[in-house]
Amino acid sequence: MPAPVIVASDLTKKYKDFAAVDGISFEVAPGESFGLLGPNGAGKSTTMRMVGAVSTRTSGDLRILDLDPNDYGPEIRSQLGVVPQADNLDVELKARDNLVVYGRYFGLPRKVVQQRADELMAFAQLEDKVKAKVDDLSGGMKRRLTIARALINDPRILLLDEPTTGLDPQARHILWDRLFRLKEQGTTLVLTTHYMDEAEQLCDRLVVVDKGSIMAEGSPAALIRQYSSREVLEVRFGSDRNEQVAEQLAGIGERVEVLPDRILVYSEDGEAELNHITELGLHPLTSLVRRSSLEDVFLRLTGRSLIE
Amino acid sequence: MSGTESPRGGSVAAGSASGRGAQGPQSEMARAAIAAGTLPRRWGALYVAEHRTRSMAAYKGTIIATGIGNPVVYLFALGVGLATLVDANVGGAGATVSYLTFVAPALLASAAVTIATEEFSYPILGAFKWNPTFFAINASPISPRQIVDGQMLSVLVRMVPSCIVYFLFMLVFGAVPSPIGWLSILAAVATGMAVGAVLMSYVSTLQTDSGQIALLMRFGLTPMFLFSGTFFPLAQLPAYLQWIGWISPLWHGTELGRVFSYGAPEPIWLTVAHVLYLAAWFVFGWLASRRVTARRLNK
Ligand SMILES: Nc1ncnc2c1ncn2[C@@H]1O[C@H](COP(=O)(O)OP(=O)(O)OP(=O)(O)O)[C@@H](O)[C@H]1O
Ligand SMILES: [Mg+2]
């Protein structure tokens, strides 16, 4: 296996006494697409800032591209593309000028920057917004421009903190497509998300993070295999009855999970479990059989829903 | 100006994944990173200045208009208008110069301070808050120190030409008798940067603007203009108010400008003191800004 581009061991970040990141360890291989999946406040962004060599770790060890960010911050950052959770484009500059100005920070010659800026405006499908003010772009366009800016130095590692939050489905799919292409070209992707579908689509491997700790690690498929059943039966009896009905469901499926609005029955065969339930004389208002997802993994690991 | 950000001497990648010894090159990816970091480490502050001046271009109309309008209006109103009412005998002990000659270097220094208060106040807070470009820059190879240095350079790009233009108008108005009068440009720029650097270090600590900046302008900077010997010699103030002038960088910068522009008589130690005092303000503000910025960007 080639040497990893990121190695974190027992990485910790404390704000006063509060450990936002509490001793996490992971490695990312070159060309891999690695995800951090977790709810609000899990410590995803804090981890990304440490990996981005802008936030000093409290303890533990971190090596990016074989260098310690405490000693080689600028050198490491020269190899990164960073898409922060909140866009921080320069709204005083025009769209394309944002790329040009940013490229100069990497010591790139003006000519190179100009040429790449044109290519990236096309890559982000913003050719007709070259002269637009940043403020006049839609949220999705700003996000795409931020990603384009992160690519101006042709980074080895692209850090994406919730790249598609706030985008409509169409804009998300355009972004996913762009990220796929980068991955095909060999760029290492590290991304955070709290969308399971995004994690399943984009990540070769991911860690589930909660309260600053890693709960599980693996490929999306492996995690689902390990922590969930093949299928899930969702039944609703109305919010006031779910609890009470759940007691009668004991023994059905491999596991039963009660949420405020529905009951989840984990099983290899959801239809069969639904039959069992009707045989008990229970008639759910609605029922649905689906495949297990990372959402179920998360629920299993933390006892909480990923999106509250 | 860029400087080295961190101690690097002893940090040879021991136990790197490639397993090479302490002497040999590190892994290919580490070497590529180190090579790519060279230019930003050296020229980072200039890149930042390039960016900031590009943003200033958005209001270059205002910059040019004030750069020309200010000297014309003030030199005319005070030097030509007010001068007819004021006793001409104001040049300081033993020197008799026109009121215009007396007031011009003070106005020059004040103009520099005004530019500094514009560029080192809201734009700085904005770069942390409303248009957080400092955070964006910080994610690139540029270090927080270079961000501060680049900001300083970009303000000079506006301040120096503005002061030169001001000085040219002073010449046109016949307000500069001394052959070394042009040195008052340097005095003015030094004053502006001294005030600006300290202002930046303060503004960088603000989390939000709940009126602190406006308050500072009203109760800090405006009194400074009034009590810094700008319009009349400090000696004409009651003794118990003169200390305001002594601690005011604008007074020191103004007096220094007067020494240059018309040879205002003062002991040499005092002239040296003006220079040192301004330098102290600048160095303090500059280093404090670097510290505060580094801390704020390292979340
Ligand atoms: N600068 C800071 N000072 C103090 N606490 C902080 C700071 N930054 C983050 N935290 C705390 O650390 C924890 C983790 O925050 P972080 O932003 O890393 O979470 P996240 O996983 O990115 O969440 P989200 O999905 O909401 O973006 C939170 O409890 C947050 O309040
Ligand atoms: Mg976050």
Side-chain angles (χ1 to χ4, degrees), chain A residues 4 54-56 63 66 71-72 74-75 77-79 88-92 101-102 104-107 110 156, chain B residues 5-6 8 11 13 16 27-29 36 41 47 50-51 54 131 133 136-138 140-142 298-299:
Chain A
V54 293
S55 175
T56 311
R63 293 190 85 79
D66 213 11
D71 301 326
Y72 291 96
E75 285 78 6
R77 296 195 296 272
S78 76
Q79 307 293 299
N88 55 19
L89 297 160
D90 188 340
V91 298
E92 286 167 8
V101 158
Y102 210 72
R104 296 284 293 147
Y105 286 129
F106 295 85
R110 285 196 181 78
R156 236 175 228 258
Chain B
E5 191 182 35
S6 46
R8 308 174 58 205
S11 65
S16 73
S27 59
E28 179 275 327
M29 57 190 177
R41 270 216 192 253
Y47 303 151
E50 190 180 327
H51 179 174
R54 224 179 231 267
N131 185 29
T133 50
I137 301 170
N138 190 48
S140 80
I142 305 305
N298 187 346
K299 285 215 292 186

Side-chain angles (χ1 to χ4, degrees), chain A residues 15-16 18-21 38-47 49 85 161-162 192-194 209, chain B residues 299:
Chain A
Y15 294 109
K16 304 225 168 71
F18 172 73
V21 174
N40 292 140
K44 304 183 295 294
S45 298
T46 308
T47 305
R49 282 199 298 273
Q85 184 166 356
D161 198 350
E162 299 189 16
T192 78
T193 181
H194 37 218
V209 194
Chain B
K299 285 215 292 186

Side-chain angles (χ1 to χ4, degrees), chain A residues 33-300:
Chain A
S33 175
F34 179 80
L36 295 148
L37 179 69
N40 292 140
K44 304 183 295 294
S45 298
T46 308
T47 305
M48 293 293 258
R49 282 199 298 273
M50 286 191 280
V51 171
V54 293
S55 175
T56 311
R57 62 184 184 267
T58 310
S59 64
D61 220 28
L62 182 61
R63 293 190 85 79
I64 318 293
L65 300 170
D66 213 11
L67 296 170
D68 187 329
N70 286 354
D71 301 326
Y72 291 96
E75 285 78 6
I76 291 169
R77 296 195 296 272
S78 76
Q79 307 293 299
L80 305 180
V82 180
V83 177
Q85 184 166 356
D87 290 323
N88 55 19
L89 297 160
D90 188 340
V91 298
E92 286 167 8
L93 299 181
K94 295 189 174 112
R96 184 175 171 281
D97 287 345
N98 261 278
L99 308 187
V100 173
V101 158
Y102 210 72
R104 296 284 293 147
Y105 286 129
F106 295 85
L108 298 171
R110 285 196 181 78
K111 240 183 154 163
V112 173
V113 169
Q114 296 287 351
Q115 190 200 331
R116 283 199 194 159
D118 288 330
E119 289 166 12
L120 288 168
M121 289 303 280
F123 175 84
Q125 295 186 324
L126 292 169
E127 296 105 319
D128 51 340
K129 297 288 179 185
V130 163
K131 290 231 150 68
K133 279 189 176 168
V134 168
D135 268 337
D136 294 340
L137 301 181
S138 77
M141 291 172 182
K142 280 187 197 148
R143 209 64 187 141
R144 284 190 333 244
L145 186 61
T146 304
I147 293 177
R149 187 184 69 179
L151 295 171
I152 194 80
N153 60 324
D154 196 10
R156 236 175 228 258
I157 307 175
L158 186 58
L159 305 177
L160 301 136
D161 198 350
E162 299 189 16
T164 65
T165 296
L167 300 191
D168 67 26
Q170 195 203 349
R172 293 179 77 199
H173 282 281
I174 295 178
L175 263 185
W176 287 353
D177 170 64
R178 293 298 180 270
L179 296 178
F180 269 129
R181 288 202 219 170
L182 289 171
K183 195 167 139 40
E184 278 167 11
Q185 294 162 21
T187 309
T188 306
L189 303 182
V190 179
L191 61 112
T192 78
T193 181
H194 37 218
Y195 295 123
M196 289 75 56
D197 53 346
E198 185 159 287
E200 282 172 43
Q201 287 272 339
L202 292 179
C203 299
D204 301 326
R205 200 161 55 85
L206 55 89
V207 288
V208 178
V209 194
D210 189 31
K211 296 182 184 146
S213 302
I214 291 179
M215 312 293 292
E217 175 181 345
S219 69
L223 284 171
I224 292 167
R225 249 192 332 271
Q226 187 178 352
Y227 292 98
S228 192
S229 55
R230 204 169 67 91
E231 292 188 339
V232 189
L233 167 66
E234 296 196 1
V235 283
R236 292 168 200 259
F237 292 91
S239 17
D240 43 343
R241 283 194 62 210
N242 283 338
E243 280 284 350
Q244 176 201 344
V245 171
E247 285 169 21
Q248 303 178 46
L249 295 185
I252 290 193
E254 292 166 20
R255 200 161 57 84
V256 174
E257 197 80 59
V258 189
L259 298 183
D261 61 331
R262 66 211 136 112
I263 300 173
L264 306 179
V265 179
Y266 290 93
S267 165
E268 289 306 302
D269 185 349
E271 284 296 338
E273 306 303 341
L274 183 57
N275 287 337
H276 287 152
I277 291 176
T278 14
E279 280 162 19
L280 287 174
L282 294 169
H283 299 284
L285 301 174
T286 65
S287 65
L288 163 81
V289 176
R290 58 169 176 83
R291 298 182 67 85
S292 270
S293 73
L294 286 172
E295 167 79 51
D296 302 297
V297 173
F298 190 81
L299 192 61
R300 171 75 182 276

